[in-house]
Amino acid sequence: MNELDLENIIALRKTLAEILKHLLHSNAESALNDSLLLTMDFFNADRAYIGIVNNTEKSVSFTHKISSPDTKNLPANLLDYVTTSEMPWWINTILSGRDIIISDIKKMPVSASAEQKLIIENGAKSLLVVPTIIDSNVNGFIGIECINRPYVWEMIDIENLHIISNIFSIAIERELAVKNAESSFSQSLQNQTKFQLIFEKLPWGVEVYDKNGDMIAMNPADQAIFGTTMEEMSKFNMFDIPFISDENKAKLKNGEEVEMWSGHDFEMMKEKGLYASKHLGTYKYIHSKGLPLKDPDNTIFGYLLLIHDDTEIYQKNEQMQNDITKLKMVIDTGKSFIWEYDIENDRIIIDRRLINEQSSKDNKAFLFLCQASNSNKAGFGETLHPDDYERVYDQHFIPLINGEINSYSCIFRRMFEGRVYWFNAYARVIKYNEEGKPSRTVCYVTDITEERERELELIHVKEADQLKTTFLANMSHEIRTPLNAIVGFSQIITEMNEDKEMQPYIDIIQKNNDLLLQLIDDILNFTKLESGILDYQLAKIEAKDVCQDLIYRYAQLMTPETKLIFDNNLSDIPIWTDEKLIKQVISSFINNAIKFTQKGSIALSYNTTKKDNHLCFLVTDTGIGISDKDLPFVFDRFFKADSFQQGTGLGLTVCKMIINLLGGEIGVESTIGQGSTFWFTLPLENRSV
């Protein structure tokens, strides 16, 4: 028994008690109308009615009709009197003892076209009608309608209306007897007998007392609740019952209704000598309602006690609360919560009963999810991380609510107020509509942001350690190569006498000295950039002057087979940047071009771009080019397309870091066998970097 079942039992029991109270009073007309109103409110319907069947004429008279205030502007209510020719399907269905269950008026059977037209004219969208039966004969029916919205009737609704119809069947029979003067006396006797049958069969205890509080009747259900007999119970007066307080006793004597909840200790009843019970050693939770019975002059002639044994409900509710408390502890410990998605109304609902309100105040992700803007399908999709949208929304969420899958489990990110949160979610369908499509899903969500951030931090630490290891391995190899050449050839020179013999070796030593200095510069620059401590000064410089200085420096290093080209007719363009760093980047481009261009040309140029008023520097060579598979990794640290070439693999990485620092972009275009173009852009205006 779940919480909804408990709520339904309590509400139904209360409604039945009120209906019985009305039907036990004399004015049958008002009693039926008041009882219909209670029935309509219980089902949250907009209209309720009673139809009395004439089996001989096969006709129906709608004798009692109740509508909610919202329906006052609708067309006239149902017909007062109809025959089989006007509503053949309706009347034949009722006379055969079958229910009429219509959740959508538009989907009524073809054979009910006449009824469908009348119902639509009266504004109903859904209806539920059950026959009232006495002695296996249909004497009428009770119906309820929803006008403001369609409603899918569930089995519990049908069962509840059947229980209520059993009481209405007696009232209908009584009304028929009153209207039939010739058989009124005999029919009244039959009605009294039938009321006795209802009294005997009611699942809840009923006790009837006279005006002095002496017991007159006690039904079997009441005897079972207290484990005793009427003979035992009638030994004491109603006003001596311990669980009725003095205040409630006074109210009853004053003609007021009372409602009571009390614990019932059968051992105490025995000790006080009230009555003997077979329930000794047990304790029950009793819910009772006291009703004074009055005649038309408003004089009390007796009392009615309706007794309900709430022990099972109380125990189930207590167990449920314990389970909720345990689940709440588990959820709170794991920063978790549960939300349901009402598919038909596009509404996400978070179950706050399972949330520790105190701890949730510090959970920004939970607070954000509670906002109205995030409480529907669109809000869920809009806050998903772009990289997770297709995987989560398109491949999991939508298939679930469409009924293509029953459940899913996945880890995803959502973005709230500029921060990324990680969630681990398990979702499944928990309810389907009458067409078999999902109508409600539930999702158990855990905020794993802290755990994921720790994992990512650990990954970064491991990557940093690996980079350090790779860096040291590369540096030891690259530094050892020029040092070996310098030391080796220096020893050879010491053994030579002629200057001409020494010159080639001196050139080799000088070349390796330059290489060693370049290696050290790359390492220092890389370290400073990584640590964010590289000093730079922005100043206004001329792009043409920078290029001409570099052309003059590198022209002396070119071989006869390779030309260094620069157009001196390019216009002067001023730029705000750090001259030293810009020369370092262009020098790195030219050095790379020299390494991989055995013959042909290396051209340095610049031009303005349309993009955001930038200046673009280019170094184009006719060398061996770079393959498509290597092109994306050219600016990665320690990357070397040709492992036989000397260098740290940090030069282009340092270039990229410098250009990013100065607010520009960097890139390369290349074709194998034709050459490469390395480029970077810088803003022309003076901007804070």
Side-chain angles (χ1 to χ4, degrees):
M1 183 184 295
N2 58 36
E3 187 175 0
L4 291 176
D5 293 333
L6 294 177
E7 291 176 357
N8 175 71
I9 289 172
I10 293 170
L12 176 63
R13 196 168 62 191
K14 183 177 180 181
T15 301
L16 286 173
E18 291 292 326
I19 291 173
L20 277 172
K21 181 189 75 173
H22 287 296
L23 295 179
L24 283 170
H25 288 74
S26 58
N27 189 335
E29 182 74 24
S30 64
L32 278 170
N33 286 335
D34 291 340
S35 299
L36 264 184
L37 184 59
L38 288 168
T39 303
M40 184 179 72
D41 291 343
F42 173 75
F43 288 97
N44 195 24
D46 302 306
R47 181 185 292 143
Y49 43 79
I50 292 174
I52 295 180
V53 172
N54 186 322
N55 284 287
T56 304
E57 298 179 1
K58 287 195 174 182
S59 61
V60 171
S61 297
F62 289 86
T63 57
H64 299 81
K65 293 171 284 186
I66 296 292
S67 298
S68 66
D70 295 339
T71 64
K72 62 183 180 181
N73 293 324
L74 290 173
N77 284 339
L78 289 170
L79 300 174
D80 292 328
Y81 176 86
V82 292
T83 62
T84 304
S85 61
E86 295 173 294
M87 298 179 71
W89 175 80
W90 182 298
I91 294 177
N92 289 331
T93 301
I94 291 298
L95 288 177
S96 66
R98 290 177 290 144
D99 302 330
I100 297 176
I101 307 167
I102 306 294
S103 295
D104 187 348
I105 299 301
K106 296 179 181 178
K107 296 181 181 179
M108 290 180 69
V110 177
S111 56
S113 58
E115 290 84 350
Q116 185 183 45
K117 182 179 178 182
L118 287 172
I119 294 169
I120 291 175
E121 287 176 357
N122 281 271
K125 291 185 172 62
S126 305
L127 62 85
L128 175 62
V129 182
V130 301
T132 55
I133 301 173
I134 288 291
D135 297 334
S136 301
N137 294 316
V138 175
N139 65 355
F141 56 82
I142 178 172
I144 53 176
E145 293 181 355
C146 292
I147 293 174
N148 295 321
R149 81 273 185 246
Y151 180 77
V152 179
W153 304 106
E154 299 184 359
M155 186 58 65
I156 191 68
D157 300 316
I158 302 168
E159 291 175 357
N160 287 341
L161 192 56
H162 270 288
I163 292 172
I164 292 173
S165 73
N166 289 335
I167 299 176
F168 272 94
S169 64
I170 304 300
I172 291 172
E173 192 80 354
R174 184 173 67 179
E175 184 167 281
L176 287 172
V178 171
K179 292 182 179 179
N180 190 344
E182 293 180 0
S183 60
S184 61
F185 179 73
S186 60
Q187 192 67 38
S188 295
L189 289 177
Q190 291 180 32
N191 281 335
Q192 293 299 323
T193 303
K194 290 165 185 174
F195 266 116
Q196 183 65 31
L197 288 173
I198 294 293
F199 177 77
E200 296 289 336
K201 292 181 179 180
L202 274 175
W204 301 296
V206 180
E207 298 173 7
V208 182
Y209 297 87
D210 64 18
K211 64 180 181 180
N212 299 316
D214 295 322
M215 180 173 281
I216 298 174
M218 176 185 189
N219 75 342
D222 196 53
Q223 295 177 36
I225 290 173
F226 292 102
T228 188
T229 63
M230 181 175 170
E231 183 180 358
E232 283 289 327
M233 291 287 281
S234 60
K235 291 179 181 178
F236 59 92
N237 189 277
M238 181 187 77
F239 295 105
D240 295 328
I241 296 176
F243 64 78
I244 301 180
S245 67
D246 292 339
E247 180 184 357
N248 284 332
K249 289 173 184 176
K251 286 183 177 180
L252 285 167
K253 290 179 179 179
N254 197 39
E256 300 178 44
E257 298 175 11
V258 296
E259 195 165 9
M260 300 161 284
W261 289 266
S262 61
H264 213 74
D265 188 339
F266 292 97
E267 290 286 354
M268 184 190 72
M269 295 297 173
K270 180 183 177 183
E271 291 172 2
K272 290 188 176 184
L274 293 174
Y275 64 86
S277 172
K278 62 182 181 182
H279 295 325
L280 292 178
T282 61
Y283 191 90
K284 289 195 174 188
Y285 296 90
I286 303 298
H287 175 205
S288 55
K289 191 163 188 175
L291 304 171
L293 302 176
K294 303 175 184 179
D295 61 20
D297 296 327
N298 209 33
T299 301
I300 296 174
F301 63 85
Y303 301 93
L304 183 71
L305 282 187
L306 300 176
I307 310 293
H308 311 291
D309 183 358
D310 276 1
T311 305
E312 183 182 0
I313 294 176
Y314 183 88
Q315 291 172 345
K316 292 287 186 182
N317 190 54
E318 189 176 48
Q319 180 62 45
M320 186 184 301
Q321 292 302 322
N322 289 338
D323 292 342
I324 288 176
T325 300
K326 292 175 184 176
L327 182 58
K328 192 173 182 179
M329 290 176 62
V330 173
I331 289 176
D332 187 53
T333 302
K335 287 189 177 180
S336 304
F337 45 89
I338 292 175
W339 56 262
E340 296 182 33
Y341 178 49
D342 181 349
I343 298 173
E344 295 177 349
N345 296 309
D346 188 22
R347 192 161 58 101
I348 292 175
I349 310 139
I350 293 181
D351 194 339
R352 286 183 172 272
R353 295 173 305 168
L354 303 177
I355 301 296
N356 185 319
E357 295 293 341
Q358 187 60 37
S359 62
S360 67
K361 291 179 181 178
D362 300 325
N363 190 334
K364 293 183 178 179
F366 169 73
L367 295 175
F368 193 85
L369 288 171
C370 290
Q371 294 179 13
S373 59
N374 304 309
S375 60
N376 54 29
K377 182 171 68 174
F380 175 69
E382 289 169 0
T383 56
L384 280 172
H385 192 283
D387 294 342
D388 295 338
Y389 184 90
E390 181 180 355
R391 177 176 58 85
V392 177
Y393 192 82
D394 294 339
Q395 299 177 13
H396 288 91
F397 182 73
I398 295 300
L400 181 74
I401 66 176
N402 287 342
E404 298 169 18
I405 58 175
N406 295 322
S407 63
Y408 70 79
S409 177
C410 63
I411 294 175
F412 56 85
R413 290 162 290 179
R414 294 182 72 177
M415 301 172 64
F416 307 141
E417 297 178 344
R419 184 181 174 186
V420 175
Y421 290 86
W422 287 84
F423 296 101
N424 188 359
Y426 174 74
R428 68 175 299 107
V429 179
I430 59 170
K431 190 175 181 181
Y432 296 84
N433 59 24
E434 62 178 358
E435 298 176 352
K437 295 289 187 180
S439 62
R440 187 175 288 261
T441 66
V442 65
C443 187
Y444 176 70
V445 185
T446 303
D447 181 358
I448 58 170
T449 305
E450 292 184 4
E451 291 82 351
R452 291 293 292 185
E453 287 178 347
R454 283 197 294 268
E455 289 176 10
L456 292 173
E457 184 178 350
L458 183 60
I459 291 171
H460 291 325
V461 170
K462 289 181 178 179
E463 288 178 347
D465 288 340
Q466 182 61 40
L467 286 172
K468 289 177 183 177
T469 303
T470 304
F471 181 79
L472 291 174
N474 283 337
M475 292 309 99
S476 62
H477 170 74
E478 297 297 341
I479 292 174
R480 189 182 300 115
T481 301
L483 277 178
N484 286 339
I486 292 169
V487 172
F489 286 108
S490 296
Q491 291 177 346
I492 292 174
I493 289 175
T494 59
E495 298 173 359
M496 291 182 176
N497 296 320
E498 297 291 332
D499 291 342
K500 291 182 179 181
E501 294 178 352
M502 294 181 185
Q503 191 58 46
Y505 298 103
I506 292 172
D507 292 341
I508 293 173
I509 292 171
Q510 184 61 48
K511 181 179 179 181
N512 281 277
N513 280 334
D514 294 340
L515 178 59
L516 187 58
L517 287 172
Q518 184 62 48
L519 287 172
I520 294 171
D521 282 344
D522 285 347
I523 294 170
L524 291 175
N525 287 329
F526 176 77
T527 304
K528 288 179 180 179
L529 286 164
E530 280 277 278
S531 304
I533 59 173
L534 181 68
D535 291 330
Y536 62 95
Q537 296 291 330
L538 298 182
K540 184 178 180 180
I541 62 173
E542 294 289 340
K544 188 174 183 178
D545 292 343
V546 170
C547 292
Q548 287 177 334
D549 286 349
L550 291 170
I551 289 295
Y552 178 77
R553 182 195 308 174
Y554 280 98
Q556 304 175 34
L557 302 177
M558 305 304 295
T559 63
E561 293 82 11
T562 307
K563 294 181 180 179
L564 185 60
I565 302 171
F566 176 72
D567 184 0
N568 287 307
N569 294 320
L570 288 174
S571 59
D572 291 335
I573 299 178
I575 183 173
W576 282 87
T577 189
D578 185 294
E579 182 176 359
K580 180 180 178 182
L581 293 180
I582 292 306
K583 286 184 175 180
Q584 182 179 335
V585 174
I586 298 174
S587 295
S588 183
F589 285 179
I590 294 174
N591 283 329
N592 273 334
I594 291 172
K595 284 182 187 178
F596 298 105
T597 306
Q598 299 300 319
K599 61 180 179 178
S601 63
I602 299 171
L604 172 61
S605 62
Y606 59 84
N607 59 67
T608 56
T609 67
K610 295 181 180 179
K611 180 185 176 183
D612 199 20
N613 197 20
H614 279 58
L615 182 67
C616 181
F617 290 87
L618 306 96
V619 174
T620 302
D621 63 59
T622 58
I624 61 176
I626 304 169
S627 67
D628 290 341
K629 68 180 181 65
D630 289 333
L631 209 56
F633 311 105
V634 166
F635 294 100
D636 290 354
R637 60 187 67 180
F638 309 129
F639 176 79
K640 295 171 71 175
D642 185 352
S643 58
F644 294 101
Q645 287 288 343
Q646 289 181 316
T648 61
L650 286 176
L652 291 177
T653 303
V654 171
C655 290
K656 182 177 180 179
M657 296 170 76
I658 289 173
I659 296 303
N660 288 341
L661 181 68
L662 296 175
E665 295 181 358
I666 193 169
V668 60
E669 298 168 3
S670 184
T671 303
I672 285 290
Q674 296 183 19
S676 305
T677 297
F678 283 82
W679 58 267
F680 66 87
T681 64
L682 290 174
L684 289 171
E685 299 174 1
N686 182 13
R687 304 181 184 182
S688 59
V689 181

